[in-house]
Amino acid sequence: MKKVYGSAAEALEGVLFDGMFIASGGFGLCGIPELLLEAIKVAGTKNLTFASNNAGVDDFGIGILLQTKQVKKMISSYVGENAEFMRQYLSGELELEFNPQGTLAERMRAGGCGIPGFYTKTGVGTVIADGKEHKDFNGETYIMEEGIVADLAIVKAWKADATGNLVFRKTARNFNPPAAMCGKMCIVEVEEIVETGSLDPDTIHLPGIYVHRIFQGDHEKRIEQRTVREA
Amino acid sequence: MWDRNQMAERAAQELQDGWYVNLGIGIPTLVSNYIPEGIEVTLQSENGMLGMGPFPISGEEDADLINAGKQTITELPQTAYFDSAQSFGMIRGGKIAMAILGAMEVAENGDLANWMIPGKLVKGMGGAMDLVAGVGRVVVVMDHTNKHGVSKLLKECTLPLTGKSVVDRIITNLGVLDVVEGGLKIVETADGVSEGELRAATAATIVK
């Protein structure tokens, strides 16, 4: 069973279709599957729905798929950094479903864990709760949120072995594990594929059972807000 | 009247030794500059980090190491990383003792509005709804009035809510108020501000 592919385009072979639902890892521009997003742009797949915490910036991340009008709907918690996103949303070309950040993460995790719905306090008494089931537990009110199962999960990790065991680096982990878990198919881009057996089994962040295809590539890893202090 | 830094310094007095705390963007971020001597707190960044350190020195920025405001930061000896689902698990699960956040409006019953102005560009709530619903204590740091002098401490919020009855304490440029039964209670006034001035600037009900 081969999981290692030569490039993003090879790894996406036979996977993409118009109207599909994709879950993406990343927070801001940190830990985003930048090579897979570029390959989806080249493939030209249309009417995509993305579950992704953010929408990238105009020329990087999911932003590049907004430029080419390949995205129909975003499920996100924060989209403030993207002017083209705002333009398409305000003109009605793009659908947007806001999810609180923790609700989005848990929807992915739950979907991947066979949990179709869960109750949370987040959003009770706000517009997020409109139309959702309310239920009291121990005197407190919760709303039901549904798990997400995506056609495809696209993920960025630091290292993988050939069986798809993944290690992430620092805060680039973020939404990548929950996104990976909720995909019927999960494709992962990494900075380095290492020899199977060289990763300490105790330090693997996401086991390869969730991962179907991997490839290694060169990442730009753009910094969104470079902030420094005086030395 | 307190300036931004004095409001942050006052907010830092809310911290207790051993607490895990989440600081929002803006004035709340400045709170980390005023953590009192002898108090150890661990800062959580909801994108997946406990033990957030200061900004890096130039040349040591790491694209893989950012805070929830997407700024480059550094790690500390006690730092731990985790994914977004676990991050909000600890928030929703009440493990974070306190969040210090900014606000557009607070109502006298503790309702908080800080994510959306209808008709203006909507950027999203990010993690704010999860934080106010989940953490042990919510402290809001905000200007008492808007630029037209109109109170942002109201009987009822006019903007879409981030959370219902979630605010415990409000620190403004004019003073400190607690959300209590029946309205807001003045805890203290800022330097050079009288109780009368604070009351006059407040639309919310003030109770004894």
Side-chain angles (χ1 to χ4, degrees):
Chain A
M1 178 211 52
K2 176 188 116 154
K3 289 191 180 181
V4 178
Y5 288 72
S7 68
E10 279 181 34
L12 286 166
E13 185 72 46
V15 171
L16 298 173
F17 60 92
D18 289 349
M20 75 188 304
F21 182 13
I22 301 176
S24 176
F27 180 93
L29 302 182
C30 180
I32 58 170
E34 55 178 85
L35 302 174
L36 286 160
L37 290 167
E38 179 64 36
I40 292 169
K41 177 188 164 185
V42 171
T45 320
K46 298 236 175 340
N47 289 321
L48 299 172
T49 294
F50 269 95
S52 171
N53 189 55
N54 311 95
V57 294
D58 282 329
D59 64 341
F60 199 61
I62 290 176
I64 63 171
L65 299 176
L66 294 167
Q67 300 283 357
T68 51
K69 305 216 166 69
Q70 288 172 260
V71 182
K72 181 183 72 174
K73 181 179 177 183
M74 293 291 310
I75 304 171
S76 304
S77 86
Y78 191 85
V79 295
E81 326 293 350
N82 193 313
E84 176 62 15
F85 183 101
M86 281 301 164
R87 195 199 63 72
Q88 290 186 22
Y89 173 59
L90 294 172
S91 70
E93 295 167 55
L94 183 67
E95 288 174 58
L96 170 61
E97 177 187 324
F98 274 130
N99 280 192
Q101 195 173 139
T103 295
L104 180 59
E106 188 63 16
R107 289 186 67 194
M108 291 181 183
R109 195 198 71 84
C113 292
I115 297 172
F118 58 92
Y119 293 94
T120 177
K121 264 192 294 189
T122 302
V124 171
T126 76
V127 293
I128 293 302
D130 290 349
K132 288 176 182 159
E133 184 200 331
H134 288 59
K135 187 167 171 149
D136 287 1
F137 295 88
N138 302 318
E140 287 217 66
T141 303
Y142 296 74
I143 54 172
M144 194 189 76
E145 297 281 3
E146 294 185 2
I148 284 174
V149 178
D151 297 313
L152 171 66
I154 56 173
V155 162
K156 155 76 172 49
W158 182 35
K159 291 179 181 178
D161 66 20
T163 72
N165 289 321
L166 302 183
V167 176
F168 300 90
R169 186 169 176 275
K170 303 185 188 287
T171 57
R173 193 182 318 184
N174 57 58
F175 274 82
N176 282 296
M181 292 165 74
C182 81
K184 291 181 211 162
M185 156 73 79
C186 172
I187 305 181
V188 182
E189 58 184 68
V190 299
E191 294 175 45
E192 188 183 2
I193 296 176
V194 300
E195 200 176 325
T196 301
S198 70
L199 296 175
D200 178 349
D202 271 330
T203 64
I204 287 164
H205 296 135
L206 191 76
I209 189 169
Y210 296 105
V211 175
H212 303 96
R213 298 182 181 185
I214 51 177
F215 67 95
Q216 178 178 314
D218 292 326
H219 290 82
E220 177 186 339
K221 300 215 289 185
R222 193 183 294 187
I223 292 176
E224 197 165 344
Q225 307 256 3
R226 190 177 300 272
T227 41
V228 295
R229 69 186 142 101
E230 296 298 316
Chain B
M1 197 145 75
W2 288 325
D3 64 19
R4 287 164 59 87
N5 284 305
Q6 288 168 315
M7 288 159 72
E9 188 171 7
R10 176 59 189 81
Q13 303 299 316
E14 303 293 315
L15 301 168
Q16 292 187 21
D17 193 37
W19 272 10
Y20 292 87
V21 176
N22 185 294
L23 303 179
I25 293 165
I27 300 174
T29 305
L30 300 174
V31 172
S32 62
N33 297 332
Y34 299 100
I35 297 170
E37 195 84 13
I39 300 275
E40 270 187 37
V41 295
T42 302
L43 300 180
Q44 197 234 23
S45 190
E46 66 266 25
N47 53 318
M49 179 185 200
L50 279 165
M52 182 168 49
F55 295 142
I57 57 170
S58 184
E60 294 190 359
E61 309 93 323
D62 185 336
D64 290 338
L65 184 43
I66 63 169
N67 64 18
K70 284 116 186 174
Q71 298 169 309
T72 45
I73 48 162
T74 55
E75 62 187 24
L76 299 171
Q78 73 268 33
T79 293
Y81 298 110
F82 34 84
D83 69 53
S84 300
Q86 184 168 13
S87 181
F88 283 92
M90 65 184 72
I91 289 169
R92 218 186 287 103
K95 316 300 178 187
I96 304 291
M98 182 168 75
I100 303 179
L101 303 167
M104 299 171 184
E105 294 177 347
V106 176
E108 61 191 42
N109 66 347
D111 288 359
L112 169 69
N114 73 351
W115 78 281
M116 178 184 184
I117 301 175
K120 290 209 177 171
L121 286 187
V122 182
K123 295 184 171 187
M125 72 291 285
M129 284 190 182
D130 308 275
L131 280 160
V132 299
V135 303
R137 184 169 168 78
V138 174
V139 173
V140 164
V141 182
M142 65 192 292
D143 282 330
H144 206 94
T145 58
N146 68 18
K147 57 177 184 277
H148 306 295
V150 178
S151 177
K152 294 162 77 167
L153 280 51
L154 304 169
K155 292 192 187 305
E156 278 180 36
C157 289
T158 63
L159 297 170
L161 298 184
T162 308
K164 188 111 192 104
S165 300
V166 292
V167 175
D168 295 291
R169 176 164 280 193
I170 310 160
I171 298 171
T172 78
N173 49 330
L174 301 185
V176 181
L177 301 98
D178 276 347
V179 177
V180 297
E181 191 68 38
L184 305 181
K185 185 179 168 194
I186 298 172
V187 176
E188 64 188 80
T189 57
D191 306 332
V193 176
S194 70
E195 195 174 310
E197 286 167 327
L198 193 152
R199 282 172 177 273
T202 308
T205 307
I206 292 184
V207 299
K208 276 286 170 198

